[in-house]
Amino acid sequence: MARRFVAPLTESEQQTLSSAYHHGEKRALRRRAHAVLLSGQGHTIAQICEILQVRRDAVSRWLKQWEVAGLDGLIDKPRSGRTPALDDDDHHRLQELVAEQPHQLRSLHARFQEETGKNISMVTLRRALKKK
C-alpha cells in the first residue's frame, strides 16, 4: 500500500497549523490541524487515525483539503439553520428591561413583546436571559 503524506511543511505553515491546533476556536479545526501536523512529521494515515481516534476517510479528506485550500480548507463552512429569534439589539433591550424590573418576568415578557412586536415564548426569553 502506498503511503501518503502532505508536502513538506514550510516554517510559516507549521506556525499557522500549530497556532490553529493550540488556539483554534473550534475542536474540529484543532483536530484537523493536528492531523496535518502529524502527517508533516511523517506519521502514516493509519497512525493518525489511531492517535486521533477517527476514520481513515476523514483523515484523507482533511489532508486533501489542506493541499487544495490550506488552512481555509480545514475550517468548517457555514451551515444552514434557523435564524435566531432575537438579534443583538433585542438582547440589549432585554438587559435594559431586566435592570428596570429584575424580578418580574411576566411583565418583562409582555413589555418586550409590546415594544418589539416579536412574539417569543417564555422559554425563549429565559434562554436569552441566561445566555447573557
Side-chain angles (χ1 to χ4, degrees):
M1 177 186 279
R3 294 179 182 226
R4 185 172 180 285
F5 303 101
V6 294
L9 300 172
T10 65
E11 185 65 33
S12 66
E13 288 175 332
Q14 286 180 359
Q15 288 176 349
T16 301
L17 286 167
S18 182
S19 176
Y21 172 55
H22 291 289
H23 307 291
E25 183 178 333
K26 297 196 176 192
R27 179 176 185 257
L29 173 62
R30 293 190 303 269
R31 179 182 271 187
R32 293 170 191 155
H34 191 196
V36 175
L37 284 168
L38 290 171
S39 179
Q41 294 170 357
H43 292 274
T44 64
I45 290 178
Q47 290 170 331
I48 296 170
C49 292
E50 190 174 321
I51 292 168
L52 299 178
Q53 296 294 302
V54 293
R55 293 175 39 155
R56 182 178 188 82
D57 61 329
V59 174
S60 294
R61 186 175 55 250
W62 298 342
L63 298 180
K64 285 178 188 172
Q65 289 171 329
W66 166 257
E67 291 170 346
V68 171
L71 188 63
D72 289 339
L74 302 180
I75 297 172
D76 284 334
K77 306 298 179 264
R79 297 179 182 185
S80 62
R82 182 176 179 176
T83 57
L86 304 174
D87 57 19
D88 289 337
D89 293 335
D90 294 332
H91 284 284
H92 182 68
R93 184 61 188 138
L94 271 175
Q95 294 304 317
E96 291 173 353
L97 291 173
V98 167
E100 294 173 17
Q101 301 172 326
H103 300 290
Q104 299 175 4
L105 193 59
R106 288 181 196 257
S107 61
L108 180 136
H109 181 246
R111 190 165 167 201
F112 178 78
Q113 286 185 341
E114 184 181 302
E115 288 182 14
T116 63
K118 293 185 178 184
N119 189 15
I120 61 169
S121 69
M122 288 293 277
V123 173
T124 301
L125 179 69
R126 283 190 184 107
R127 191 178 309 123
L129 292 173
K130 281 184 181 181
K131 197 178 218 181
K132 298 293 177 178

